[in-house]
């Protein structure tokens, strides 16, 4: 009898146990700029996630060292292009603290008003773009309409639609135009009257709720470990807001109006709900500021400064509750007209790093829903 040889052939056996690397980006339509995610997949489940950043890095912190205190406002204005006024604010607050400078009351209240209008503009962009990433095109049209109303008001007062360049060390560039407060009040009232559209179109949509409820749950421990802040942290039950807990500008006098919005679920839906409710509260704060400005007697909007502005030798740290989270500014001065060092702590940088623990274990299909709910701007990551 002729001996035979048996061979066992496995079909697809090796493939099933082999992990696949998937690159999302760096030019991917579902990201807010040039971000790359390197995902390791086991089938359709993500086992490891690595955010790869730096594609938009401009070396802003190094440029700060070669610009005087008036010029660095322009550089700091641009990293989070949706929150330009708030970006400027942190720089001037740090320099004013170094100088021991008191800002006129009119400037304090006007800064607070414009910061809250800027917060609404930022949030409206995400309220429209997040449903768009999940397939709902209608909300973004409403979001841009409301943004136009408020951008017209901001453009009238500052001359800019996105990069306002209205803050100055010692106050603001100039006083408000005649009749502007009435037009601002009408704009705020108009936007507030139409905000329910987002409840109806987005939160009332069962497909949106199905894609976001229970998806991408972020634990409070991860929030603390990675320094996550803003609406994302508060959606996970971390009840912290600098406007209430360490008030700056006029927020100490607005505690009755200020509402810190929190959720306990920590999922994509909770993050969207926090953002939406915080937008309503920002409109209420803007109204309260307009009421207070109407009561103020006419007065200066800024301090007179020397032609060459030099901060005294020393260091200080200023931080603000930006729309996307906490921004920090560590200023070191050697007594020159330029900062020796100005370190910028941006909210988006920390908020995106937590994806390394948030994405593993989730499905690729849920990745876009999770990524969009982190509410980041890539320029704010890379600086």
């Amino acid at each position: 009898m002729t001996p035979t040889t048996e061979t066992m052939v496995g079909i697809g056996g090796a493939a099933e146990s082999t992990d696949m690397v998937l690159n999302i980006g760096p030019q991917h339509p579902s990201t807010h700029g040039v971000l790359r995610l390197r995902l390791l997949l086991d089938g359709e489940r993500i086992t490891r996630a690595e955010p790869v950043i730096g594609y938009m890095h401009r070396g802003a912190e190094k440029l700060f060292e070669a610009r005087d205190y008036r010029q660095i406002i322009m550089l700091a204005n641009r990293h989070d292009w949706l929150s330009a006024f708030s970006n400027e604010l942190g720089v001037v607050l740090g320099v004013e603290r170094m100088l021991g400078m008191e800002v006129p009351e009119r400037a304090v209240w006007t800064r607070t008003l414009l910061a809250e209008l800027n917060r609404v503009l930022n949030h409206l962009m995400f309220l429209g773009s997040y449903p768009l990433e999940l397939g709902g095109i209608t909300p973004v049209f409403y979001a841009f309409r409301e943004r136009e109303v408020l951008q017209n008001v901001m453009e009238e007062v500052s001359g800019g639609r996105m990069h306002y360049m209205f803050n100055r060390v010692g106050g603001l560039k100039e006083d408000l135009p005649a009749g502007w407060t009435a037009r601002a009040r009408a704009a705020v009232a108009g936007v507030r009257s139409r905000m329910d559209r987002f409840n109806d179109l987005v939160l009332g949509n069962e497909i949106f709720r199905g894609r976001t409820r229970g998806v991408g749950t972020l634990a409070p421990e991860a929030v603390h470990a990675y320094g996550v802040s803003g609406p994302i942290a508060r959606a996970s039950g971390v009840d912290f807001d600098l406007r209430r807990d360490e008030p700056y500008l006029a927020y100490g006098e607005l505690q009755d109006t200020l509402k810190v919005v929190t959720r306990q679920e920590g999922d994509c839906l909770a993050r969207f709900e926090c953002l939406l409710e915080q937008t309503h509260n920002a409109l209420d704060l803007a109204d309260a500021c307009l009421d207070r400005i109407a009561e103020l007697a006419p007065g200066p909007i800024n301090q007179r400064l020397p032609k060459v502005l030099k901060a005294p030798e020393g260091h200080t740290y200023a931080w603000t509750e930006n729309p996307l989270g906490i921004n920090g500014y560590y200023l070191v001065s050697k007594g020159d007209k330029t900062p020796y060092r100005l370190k910028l702590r941006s909210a988006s940088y920390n908020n995106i790093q937590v994806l390394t623990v948030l994405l593993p274990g989730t499905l690729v299909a849920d990745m876009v829903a999770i990524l969009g709910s982190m509410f980041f701007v890539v320029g704010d990551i890379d600086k």
Side-chain angles (χ1 to χ4, degrees):
M1 184 176 178
T2 306
T4 60
T5 303
E6 292 184 3
T7 303
M8 183 173 291
V9 179
I11 300 175
E16 289 177 4
S17 61
T18 302
D19 291 336
M20 182 176 73
V21 176
L22 176 66
N23 279 290
I24 305 295
Q27 278 83 29
H28 195 275
S30 70
T31 58
H32 299 245
V34 190
L35 174 73
R36 174 184 165 207
L37 284 179
R38 187 176 183 276
L39 306 178
L40 193 65
L41 305 181
D42 180 9
E44 293 189 23
R45 197 164 295 278
I46 299 170
T47 58
R48 192 171 70 197
E50 178 191 357
V52 182
I53 64 174
Y55 293 95
M56 297 187 69
H57 179 60
R58 314 187 317 274
E61 291 180 356
K62 198 65 184 173
L63 290 172
F64 289 159
E65 299 171 15
R67 304 291 190 274
D68 67 34
Y69 288 107
R70 293 179 175 90
Q71 294 170 327
I72 61 176
I73 298 173
M74 181 275 293
L75 287 171
N77 175 292
R78 284 160 165 73
H79 57 90
D80 175 2
W81 48 77
L82 298 178
S83 311
F85 186 87
S86 300
N87 299 342
E88 303 168 11
L89 190 59
V91 173
V92 297
L93 288 175
V95 179
E96 287 162 4
R97 184 173 296 178
M98 287 285 284
L99 293 166
M101 180 181 290
E102 287 288 334
V103 176
E105 186 180 17
R106 190 170 187 81
V108 171
W109 281 98
T110 306
R111 279 177 172 178
T112 310
L113 166 63
L114 296 177
E116 290 306 312
L117 292 178
N118 193 197
R119 191 181 308 276
V120 177
L121 282 167
N122 175 288
H123 290 357
L124 281 170
M125 176 62 80
F126 290 105
L127 292 174
S129 68
Y130 184 39
L132 181 65
E133 292 168 8
L134 298 180
I137 193 172
T138 308
V140 74
F141 296 125
Y142 288 105
F144 268 83
R145 185 181 73 174
E146 306 313 330
R147 278 176 55 84
E148 277 301 306
V149 172
L150 293 178
Q151 277 186 316
N152 290 339
V153 169
M154 296 291 281
E155 183 180 15
E156 182 186 356
V157 74
S158 69
R161 288 178 62 79
M162 286 189 71
H163 301 294
Y164 307 108
M165 281 302 298
F166 198 55
N167 276 290
R168 296 292 186 272
V169 177
L172 295 168
K173 177 186 173 186
E174 57 197 9
D175 208 345
L176 302 173
W180 181 86
T181 53
R183 292 188 287 277
R185 193 183 294 276
V188 169
V191 171
R192 181 189 288 108
S193 69
R194 296 184 291 269
M195 284 300 293
D196 286 343
R197 296 279 174 87
F198 295 98
N199 288 75
D200 300 335
L201 287 171
V202 185
L203 291 181
N205 187 300
E206 62 183 42
I207 298 175
F208 178 83
R209 299 183 77 87
R211 290 291 307 275
T212 56
R213 180 187 283 152
V215 174
T217 302
L218 181 61
E221 294 77 17
V223 169
H224 293 300
Y226 281 83
V228 176
S229 58
I232 299 173
R234 292 191 284 273
S236 294
V238 179
D239 188 4
F240 182 71
D241 190 313
L242 283 176
R243 298 173 297 169
R244 179 198 64 194
D245 300 321
E246 289 196 24
Y248 58 100
L249 294 182
Y251 289 114
E253 300 181 46
L254 291 169
Q255 297 300 305
D256 292 338
T257 307
L258 176 63
K259 178 184 178 184
V260 179
V261 183
T262 61
R263 292 288 187 277
Q264 299 301 319
E265 294 82 2
D267 56 10
C268 296
L269 181 59
R271 290 190 277 274
F272 186 87
E273 288 176 343
C274 274
L275 202 73
L276 180 56
E277 198 170 334
Q278 189 168 287
T279 307
H280 283 280
N281 187 240
L283 292 169
D284 294 339
L285 288 167
D287 265 340
C289 291
L290 285 166
D291 292 340
R292 187 70 177 90
I293 291 171
E295 298 170 358
L296 294 175
I301 199 76
N302 50 36
Q303 296 274 24
R304 291 184 64 87
L305 298 175
K307 181 174 286 189
V308 178
L309 179 64
K310 295 183 178 181
E313 188 170 346
H315 60 93
T316 191
Y317 183 77
W319 57 349
T320 58
E321 187 69 42
N322 268 38
L324 297 180
I326 294 174
N327 268 28
Y329 303 81
Y330 179 59
L331 173 62
V332 182
S333 172
K334 296 291 187 180
D336 299 322
K337 64 178 183 179
T338 62
Y340 176 77
R341 183 82 167 90
L342 179 55
K343 168 64 180 173
L344 173 60
R345 186 265 191 215
S346 58
S348 295
Y349 181 84
N350 296 69
N351 291 355
I352 208 65
Q353 296 306 314
V354 80
L355 288 173
T356 57
V357 296
L358 184 57
L359 285 177
T362 63
L363 297 172
V364 177
D366 291 329
M367 184 274 301
V368 173
I370 297 170
L371 188 63
S373 73
M374 298 310 287
F375 308 133
F376 62 90
V377 171
V378 177
D380 200 39
I381 301 170
D382 290 343
K383 302 189 286 292

